[in-house]
Amino acid sequence: MSPLPYIIGAVCGIPIVYLAFTKWIRPKPLPGIPHFPITSFWGDIPRVVEDMRIHGTIFDGKGLMAEAFRTGVPMWQMFIGPSSKWVAVADAQELEDALNRGPRSKAIDQ
């Protein structure tokens, strides 16, 4: 028996399985909370590493955090790895509203 059907099956099947796996494992944002574009399986880790390399920290108002503050949103999401979500809040009133009432409270409870 010729190995050609197995080769054709592998050539067609491996990319389909890869695409399905990456779609399934990619970080999924919480609804109603803004986030940066998800360009990597690792979420925001590549951007955080780049900020650490260039600026030495991500919390000094440069890089990733500066971009978040420039957008003017009081709350945003960060994806640290494929399954971890951080919600950063820059406004105390927005934090109180999110925790006590509003449509975002169910998402934050997750």
Side-chain angles (χ1 to χ4, degrees), residues 16-90:
I16 291 171
V17 169
Y18 173 76
L19 290 173
F21 180 72
T22 56
K23 176 117 175 112
W24 173 71
I25 198 73
R26 184 167 281 202
K28 292 162 189 64
L30 297 171
I33 301 175
H35 60 87
F36 297 112
I38 303 170
T39 58
S40 169
F41 162 77
W42 296 109
D44 291 322
I45 288 179
R47 296 176 74 172
V48 170
V49 168
E50 182 180 345
D51 284 348
M52 291 293 291
R53 185 178 52 80
I54 294 172
H55 305 295
T57 181
I58 64 169
F59 299 109
D60 65 350
K62 299 175 186 164
L64 187 69
M65 292 296 164
E67 186 177 337
F69 285 114
R70 245 191 322 264
T71 60
V73 294
M75 180 185 297
W76 65 94
Q77 298 179 59
M78 290 178 58
F79 302 102
I80 306 301
S83 63
S84 177
K85 300 170 190 160
W86 291 1
V87 175
V89 181

